[in-house]
Amino acid sequence: MRQAPVNRIAEDAVKAWKITGAIFAGVLWLITIGLFIVSYLLEFTYWIGAVGILISVLCSYLFVFLLPILRWRRWRYEVFEQEIYIQHGILIVSRTLVPMIRVQHVDTKQGPILKKYKLASVQISTAATTHEIPALLEEDASELRDRISTLARVDEDDV
């Protein structure tokens, strides 16, 4: 079996994913508060709200504290002349090889949370799907995009 890729994504990815998880958990807490208000106004049982609290606490722990760290530990990538090797996943680890000859274009993407930490994601598009290497430092993402583009172009010339 092939060794795992050697390159990791930026450590600030954990912070960005924790903020994203906190936003998601905040929405769950608002829904839980709404359930209590509806239960009070319509004189329903408070069990629905209690279940909402349980789900909100569990999701807050998972998405804010546990999953970002586990996700960062698993995410790895490596770029070779003939292929891009990507590994990710927490319970189910996925290892993907993207042949350079199949790469159609490469983009960098940056949302407001990634921009706060000067991170960007690299999207690699093939005819079938798009692969993403998330949360690289901006300079690393630009260099990786340019390198993949150059390697993919060389492969097309060889065909």
PDB file of all heavy atoms in Angstrom, residues 132-158:
ATOM      1  N   GLU A 132     -10.847  19.247  -3.809  1.00  0.00           N
ATOM      2  CA  GLU A 132     -10.438  20.457  -3.110  1.00  0.00           C
ATOM      3  C   GLU A 132      -9.380  20.142  -2.067  1.00  0.00           C
ATOM      4  O   GLU A 132      -9.495  19.169  -1.326  1.00  0.00           O
ATOM      5  CB  GLU A 132     -11.647  21.105  -2.447  1.00  0.00           C
ATOM      6  CG  GLU A 132     -11.314  22.393  -1.726  1.00  0.00           C
ATOM      7  CD  GLU A 132     -12.547  23.098  -1.191  1.00  0.00           C
ATOM      8  OE1 GLU A 132     -13.507  23.261  -1.952  1.00  0.00           O
ATOM      9  OE2 GLU A 132     -12.527  23.475  -0.014  1.00  0.00           O
ATOM     10  N   ILE A 133      -8.366  20.984  -2.021  1.00  0.00           N
ATOM     11  CA  ILE A 133      -7.389  20.955  -0.937  1.00  0.00           C
ATOM     12  C   ILE A 133      -7.675  22.201  -0.118  1.00  0.00           C
ATOM     13  O   ILE A 133      -7.396  23.317  -0.548  1.00  0.00           O
ATOM     14  CB  ILE A 133      -5.942  20.961  -1.472  1.00  0.00           C
ATOM     15  CG1 ILE A 133      -5.713  19.752  -2.380  1.00  0.00           C
ATOM     16  CG2 ILE A 133      -4.952  20.956  -0.315  1.00  0.00           C
ATOM     17  CD1 ILE A 133      -4.379  19.748  -3.109  1.00  0.00           C
ATOM     18  N   PRO A 134      -8.263  22.039   1.083  1.00  0.00           N
ATOM     19  CA  PRO A 134      -8.738  23.213   1.824  1.00  0.00           C
ATOM     20  C   PRO A 134      -7.662  23.863   2.672  1.00  0.00           C
ATOM     21  O   PRO A 134      -6.699  23.212   3.084  1.00  0.00           O
ATOM     22  CB  PRO A 134      -9.824  22.609   2.728  1.00  0.00           C
ATOM     23  CG  PRO A 134      -9.324  21.246   3.014  1.00  0.00           C
ATOM     24  CD  PRO A 134      -8.608  20.809   1.755  1.00  0.00           C
ATOM     25  N   ALA A 135      -7.850  25.152   2.919  1.00  0.00           N
ATOM     26  CA  ALA A 135      -7.148  25.895   3.959  1.00  0.00           C
ATOM     27  C   ALA A 135      -5.629  25.817   3.881  1.00  0.00           C
ATOM     28  O   ALA A 135      -4.961  25.400   4.821  1.00  0.00           O
ATOM     29  CB  ALA A 135      -7.643  25.447   5.333  1.00  0.00           C
ATOM     30  N   LEU A 136      -5.081  26.244   2.764  1.00  0.00           N
ATOM     31  CA  LEU A 136      -3.629  26.408   2.651  1.00  0.00           C
ATOM     32  C   LEU A 136      -3.314  27.887   2.861  1.00  0.00           C
ATOM     33  O   LEU A 136      -4.186  28.739   2.667  1.00  0.00           O
ATOM     34  CB  LEU A 136      -3.146  25.986   1.263  1.00  0.00           C
ATOM     35  CG  LEU A 136      -3.368  24.532   0.877  1.00  0.00           C
ATOM     36  CD1 LEU A 136      -3.052  24.343  -0.603  1.00  0.00           C
ATOM     37  CD2 LEU A 136      -2.506  23.624   1.722  1.00  0.00           C
ATOM     38  N   LEU A 137      -2.083  28.202   3.249  1.00  0.00           N
ATOM     39  CA  LEU A 137      -1.688  29.604   3.303  1.00  0.00           C
ATOM     40  C   LEU A 137      -1.843  30.195   1.907  1.00  0.00           C
ATOM     41  O   LEU A 137      -1.644  29.500   0.902  1.00  0.00           O
ATOM     42  CB  LEU A 137      -0.246  29.731   3.775  1.00  0.00           C
ATOM     43  CG  LEU A 137       0.011  29.290   5.219  1.00  0.00           C
ATOM     44  CD1 LEU A 137       1.502  29.331   5.512  1.00  0.00           C
ATOM     45  CD2 LEU A 137      -0.751  30.166   6.194  1.00  0.00           C
ATOM     46  N   GLU A 138      -2.189  31.478   1.825  1.00  0.00           N
ATOM     47  CA  GLU A 138      -2.465  32.100   0.528  1.00  0.00           C
ATOM     48  C   GLU A 138      -1.319  31.909  -0.465  1.00  0.00           C
ATOM     49  O   GLU A 138      -1.546  31.577  -1.628  1.00  0.00           O
ATOM     50  CB  GLU A 138      -2.725  33.606   0.708  1.00  0.00           C
ATOM     51  CG  GLU A 138      -4.036  33.931   1.341  1.00  0.00           C
ATOM     52  CD  GLU A 138      -4.211  35.415   1.594  1.00  0.00           C
ATOM     53  OE1 GLU A 138      -3.197  36.134   1.729  1.00  0.00           O
ATOM     54  OE2 GLU A 138      -5.360  35.840   1.661  1.00  0.00           O
ATOM     55  N   GLU A 139      -0.085  32.107   0.004  1.00  0.00           N
ATOM     56  CA  GLU A 139       1.070  31.972  -0.890  1.00  0.00           C
ATOM     57  C   GLU A 139       1.222  30.526  -1.348  1.00  0.00           C
ATOM     58  O   GLU A 139       1.487  30.260  -2.534  1.00  0.00           O
ATOM     59  CB  GLU A 139       2.364  32.407  -0.187  1.00  0.00           C
ATOM     60  CG  GLU A 139       2.335  33.786   0.408  1.00  0.00           C
ATOM     61  CD  GLU A 139       1.761  33.809   1.815  1.00  0.00           C
ATOM     62  OE1 GLU A 139       2.052  32.906   2.621  1.00  0.00           O
ATOM     63  OE2 GLU A 139       0.989  34.736   2.106  1.00  0.00           O
ATOM     64  N   ASP A 140       1.050  29.596  -0.421  1.00  0.00           N
ATOM     65  CA  ASP A 140       1.157  28.177  -0.770  1.00  0.00           C
ATOM     66  C   ASP A 140       0.064  27.763  -1.751  1.00  0.00           C
ATOM     67  O   ASP A 140       0.307  26.993  -2.675  1.00  0.00           O
ATOM     68  CB  ASP A 140       1.071  27.308   0.484  1.00  0.00           C
ATOM     69  CG  ASP A 140       2.247  27.516   1.417  1.00  0.00           C
ATOM     70  OD1 ASP A 140       3.276  28.056   0.958  1.00  0.00           O
ATOM     71  OD2 ASP A 140       2.136  27.141   2.597  1.00  0.00           O
ATOM     72  N   ALA A 141      -1.142  28.301  -1.551  1.00  0.00           N
ATOM     73  CA  ALA A 141      -2.255  27.969  -2.462  1.00  0.00           C
ATOM     74  C   ALA A 141      -1.974  28.488  -3.864  1.00  0.00           C
ATOM     75  O   ALA A 141      -2.203  27.785  -4.853  1.00  0.00           O
ATOM     76  CB  ALA A 141      -3.567  28.543  -1.931  1.00  0.00           C
ATOM     77  N   SER A 142      -1.452  29.713  -3.953  1.00  0.00           N
ATOM     78  CA  SER A 142      -1.137  30.273  -5.273  1.00  0.00           C
ATOM     79  C   SER A 142      -0.026  29.485  -5.954  1.00  0.00           C
ATOM     80  O   SER A 142      -0.107  29.178  -7.146  1.00  0.00           O
ATOM     81  CB  SER A 142      -0.716  31.739  -5.141  1.00  0.00           C
ATOM     82  OG  SER A 142      -1.788  32.514  -4.694  1.00  0.00           O
ATOM     83  N   GLU A 143       1.017  29.145  -5.195  1.00  0.00           N
ATOM     84  CA  GLU A 143       2.112  28.357  -5.773  1.00  0.00           C
ATOM     85  C   GLU A 143       1.629  26.975  -6.209  1.00  0.00           C
ATOM     86  O   GLU A 143       2.005  26.492  -7.279  1.00  0.00           O
ATOM     87  CB  GLU A 143       3.248  28.213  -4.757  1.00  0.00           C
ATOM     88  CG  GLU A 143       4.015  29.485  -4.514  1.00  0.00           C
ATOM     89  CD  GLU A 143       5.065  29.336  -3.427  1.00  0.00           C
ATOM     90  OE1 GLU A 143       5.400  28.195  -3.062  1.00  0.00           O
ATOM     91  OE2 GLU A 143       5.533  30.378  -2.939  1.00  0.00           O
ATOM     92  N   LEU A 144       0.796  26.355  -5.384  1.00  0.00           N
ATOM     93  CA  LEU A 144       0.283  25.025  -5.733  1.00  0.00           C
ATOM     94  C   LEU A 144      -0.600  25.083  -6.983  1.00  0.00           C
ATOM     95  O   LEU A 144      -0.490  24.237  -7.869  1.00  0.00           O
ATOM     96  CB  LEU A 144      -0.505  24.445  -4.552  1.00  0.00           C
ATOM     97  CG  LEU A 144      -1.007  23.017  -4.723  1.00  0.00           C
ATOM     98  CD1 LEU A 144       0.167  22.050  -4.872  1.00  0.00           C
ATOM     99  CD2 LEU A 144      -1.872  22.613  -3.549  1.00  0.00           C
ATOM    100  N   ARG A 145      -1.463  26.109  -7.056  1.00  0.00           N
ATOM    101  CA  ARG A 145      -2.313  26.279  -8.243  1.00  0.00           C
ATOM    102  C   ARG A 145      -1.452  26.414  -9.490  1.00  0.00           C
ATOM    103  O   ARG A 145      -1.690  25.756 -10.505  1.00  0.00           O
ATOM    104  CB  ARG A 145      -3.200  27.514  -8.060  1.00  0.00           C
ATOM    105  CG  ARG A 145      -4.117  27.786  -9.253  1.00  0.00           C
ATOM    106  CD  ARG A 145      -4.662  29.181  -9.243  1.00  0.00           C
ATOM    107  NE  ARG A 145      -3.540  30.111  -9.274  1.00  0.00           N
ATOM    108  CZ  ARG A 145      -3.547  31.288  -8.656  1.00  0.00           C
ATOM    109  NH1 ARG A 145      -4.569  31.683  -7.957  1.00  0.00           N
ATOM    110  NH2 ARG A 145      -2.493  32.090  -8.736  1.00  0.00           N
ATOM    111  N   ASP A 146      -0.437  27.274  -9.414  1.00  0.00           N
ATOM    112  CA  ASP A 146       0.428  27.496 -10.574  1.00  0.00           C
ATOM    113  C   ASP A 146       1.213  26.231 -10.935  1.00  0.00           C
ATOM    114  O   ASP A 146       1.385  25.906 -12.105  1.00  0.00           O
ATOM    115  CB  ASP A 146       1.394  28.651 -10.307  1.00  0.00           C
ATOM    116  CG  ASP A 146       0.662  29.979 -10.155  1.00  0.00           C
ATOM    117  OD1 ASP A 146      -0.522  30.064 -10.566  1.00  0.00           O
ATOM    118  OD2 ASP A 146       1.265  30.915  -9.602  1.00  0.00           O
ATOM    119  N   ARG A 147       1.669  25.514  -9.910  1.00  0.00           N
ATOM    120  CA  ARG A 147       2.446  24.281 -10.175  1.00  0.00           C
ATOM    121  C   ARG A 147       1.582  23.215 -10.836  1.00  0.00           C
ATOM    122  O   ARG A 147       1.999  22.584 -11.812  1.00  0.00           O
ATOM    123  CB  ARG A 147       3.023  23.751  -8.866  1.00  0.00           C
ATOM    124  CG  ARG A 147       3.878  22.534  -9.068  1.00  0.00           C
ATOM    125  CD  ARG A 147       4.674  22.184  -7.840  1.00  0.00           C
ATOM    126  NE  ARG A 147       5.405  20.955  -8.099  1.00  0.00           N
ATOM    127  CZ  ARG A 147       5.401  19.901  -7.304  1.00  0.00           C
ATOM    128  NH1 ARG A 147       4.746  19.941  -6.162  1.00  0.00           N
ATOM    129  NH2 ARG A 147       6.059  18.814  -7.620  1.00  0.00           N
ATOM    130  N   ILE A 148       0.375  23.031 -10.313  1.00  0.00           N
ATOM    131  CA  ILE A 148      -0.526  22.028 -10.910  1.00  0.00           C
ATOM    132  C   ILE A 148      -0.888  22.432 -12.334  1.00  0.00           C
ATOM    133  O   ILE A 148      -0.910  21.597 -13.237  1.00  0.00           O
ATOM    134  CB  ILE A 148      -1.791  21.855 -10.043  1.00  0.00           C
ATOM    135  CG1 ILE A 148      -1.427  21.193  -8.713  1.00  0.00           C
ATOM    136  CG2 ILE A 148      -2.846  21.024 -10.776  1.00  0.00           C
ATOM    137  CD1 ILE A 148      -2.564  21.172  -7.706  1.00  0.00           C
ATOM    138  N   SER A 149      -1.136  23.709 -12.529  1.00  0.00           N
ATOM    139  CA  SER A 149      -1.468  24.181 -13.876  1.00  0.00           C
ATOM    140  C   SER A 149      -0.326  23.913 -14.844  1.00  0.00           C
ATOM    141  O   SER A 149      -0.541  23.446 -15.967  1.00  0.00           O
ATOM    142  CB  SER A 149      -1.782  25.680 -13.826  1.00  0.00           C
ATOM    143  OG  SER A 149      -1.992  26.181 -15.107  1.00  0.00           O
ATOM    144  N   THR A 150       0.889  24.187 -14.400  1.00  0.00           N
ATOM    145  CA  THR A 150       2.060  23.935 -15.259  1.00  0.00           C
ATOM    146  C   THR A 150       2.215  22.447 -15.551  1.00  0.00           C
ATOM    147  O   THR A 150       2.426  22.057 -16.713  1.00  0.00           O
ATOM    148  CB  THR A 150       3.330  24.476 -14.573  1.00  0.00           C
ATOM    149  OG1 THR A 150       3.165  25.870 -14.336  1.00  0.00           O
ATOM    150  CG2 THR A 150       4.553  24.248 -15.440  1.00  0.00           C
ATOM    151  N   LEU A 151       2.110  21.613 -14.526  1.00  0.00           N
ATOM    152  CA  LEU A 151       2.261  20.163 -14.725  1.00  0.00           C
ATOM    153  C   LEU A 151       1.139  19.604 -15.614  1.00  0.00           C
ATOM    154  O   LEU A 151       1.398  18.739 -16.450  1.00  0.00           O
ATOM    155  CB  LEU A 151       2.269  19.442 -13.378  1.00  0.00           C
ATOM    156  CG  LEU A 151       3.510  19.685 -12.510  1.00  0.00           C
ATOM    157  CD1 LEU A 151       3.295  19.090 -11.124  1.00  0.00           C
ATOM    158  CD2 LEU A 151       4.743  19.098 -13.163  1.00  0.00           C
ATOM    159  N   ALA A 152      -0.065  20.098 -15.462  1.00  0.00           N
ATOM    160  CA  ALA A 152      -1.180  19.611 -16.290  1.00  0.00           C
ATOM    161  C   ALA A 152      -0.999  20.027 -17.736  1.00  0.00           C
ATOM    162  O   ALA A 152      -1.298  19.270 -18.664  1.00  0.00           O
ATOM    163  CB  ALA A 152      -2.500  20.143 -15.753  1.00  0.00           C
ATOM    164  N   ARG A 153      -0.483  21.231 -17.942  1.00  0.00           N
ATOM    165  CA  ARG A 153      -0.253  21.714 -19.298  1.00  0.00           C
ATOM    166  C   ARG A 153       0.825  20.891 -19.995  1.00  0.00           C
ATOM    167  O   ARG A 153       0.711  20.561 -21.162  1.00  0.00           O
ATOM    168  CB  ARG A 153       0.158  23.182 -19.252  1.00  0.00           C
ATOM    169  CG  ARG A 153      -0.097  23.898 -20.535  1.00  0.00           C
ATOM    170  CD  ARG A 153       0.134  25.391 -20.415  1.00  0.00           C
ATOM    171  NE  ARG A 153      -0.556  25.952 -19.248  1.00  0.00           N
ATOM    172  CZ  ARG A 153      -0.017  26.828 -18.409  1.00  0.00           C
ATOM    173  NH1 ARG A 153       1.210  27.257 -18.581  1.00  0.00           N
ATOM    174  NH2 ARG A 153      -0.699  27.293 -17.397  1.00  0.00           N
ATOM    175  N   VAL A 154       1.889  20.545 -19.265  1.00  0.00           N
ATOM    176  CA  VAL A 154       2.978  19.739 -19.822  1.00  0.00           C
ATOM    177  C   VAL A 154       2.437  18.378 -20.250  1.00  0.00           C
ATOM    178  O   VAL A 154       2.761  17.889 -21.321  1.00  0.00           O
ATOM    179  CB  VAL A 154       4.122  19.577 -18.796  1.00  0.00           C
ATOM    180  CG1 VAL A 154       5.103  18.524 -19.259  1.00  0.00           C
ATOM    181  CG2 VAL A 154       4.811  20.910 -18.598  1.00  0.00           C
ATOM    182  N   ASP A 155       1.575  17.794 -19.426  1.00  0.00           N
ATOM    183  CA  ASP A 155       1.007  16.499 -19.770  1.00  0.00           C
ATOM    184  C   ASP A 155       0.160  16.573 -21.031  1.00  0.00           C
ATOM    185  O   ASP A 155       0.195  15.687 -21.857  1.00  0.00           O
ATOM    186  CB  ASP A 155       0.144  15.975 -18.618  1.00  0.00           C
ATOM    187  CG  ASP A 155       1.005  15.474 -17.485  1.00  0.00           C
ATOM    188  OD1 ASP A 155       2.213  15.290 -17.720  1.00  0.00           O
ATOM    189  OD2 ASP A 155       0.467  15.271 -16.385  1.00  0.00           O
ATOM    190  N   GLU A 156      -0.598  17.648 -21.182  1.00  0.00           N
ATOM    191  CA  GLU A 156      -1.429  17.782 -22.385  1.00  0.00           C
ATOM    192  C   GLU A 156      -0.573  17.880 -23.632  1.00  0.00           C
ATOM    193  O   GLU A 156      -0.929  17.375 -24.683  1.00  0.00           O
ATOM    194  CB  GLU A 156      -2.315  19.023 -22.278  1.00  0.00           C
ATOM    195  CG  GLU A 156      -3.448  18.849 -21.314  1.00  0.00           C
ATOM    196  CD  GLU A 156      -4.286  20.112 -21.199  1.00  0.00           C
ATOM    197  OE1 GLU A 156      -4.073  21.044 -21.993  1.00  0.00           O
ATOM    198  OE2 GLU A 156      -5.133  20.133 -20.307  1.00  0.00           O
ATOM    199  N   ASP A 157       0.595  18.549 -23.530  1.00  0.00           N
ATOM    200  CA  ASP A 157       1.487  18.654 -24.676  1.00  0.00           C
ATOM    201  C   ASP A 157       2.074  17.308 -25.061  1.00  0.00           C
ATOM    202  O   ASP A 157       2.351  17.050 -26.218  1.00  0.00           O
ATOM    203  CB  ASP A 157       2.622  19.634 -24.378  1.00  0.00           C
ATOM    204  CG  ASP A 157       2.111  21.060 -24.260  1.00  0.00           C
ATOM    205  OD1 ASP A 157       0.991  21.319 -24.751  1.00  0.00           O
ATOM    206  OD2 ASP A 157       2.829  21.906 -23.684  1.00  0.00           O
ATOM    207  N   ASP A 158       2.281  16.444 -24.069  1.00  0.00           N
ATOM    208  CA  ASP A 158       2.871  15.133 -24.336  1.00  0.00           C
ATOM    209  C   ASP A 158       1.908  14.192 -25.046  1.00  0.00           C
ATOM    210  O   ASP A 158       2.325  13.267 -25.710  1.00  0.00           O
ATOM    211  CB  ASP A 158       3.317  14.479 -23.019  1.00  0.00           C
ATOM    212  CG  ASP A 158       4.528  15.207 -22.441  1.00  0.00           C
ATOM    213  OD1 ASP A 158       5.157  15.973 -23.195  1.00  0.00           O
ATOM    214  OD2 ASP A 158       4.812  15.011 -21.247  1.00  0.00           O
TER     215      ASP A 158
END
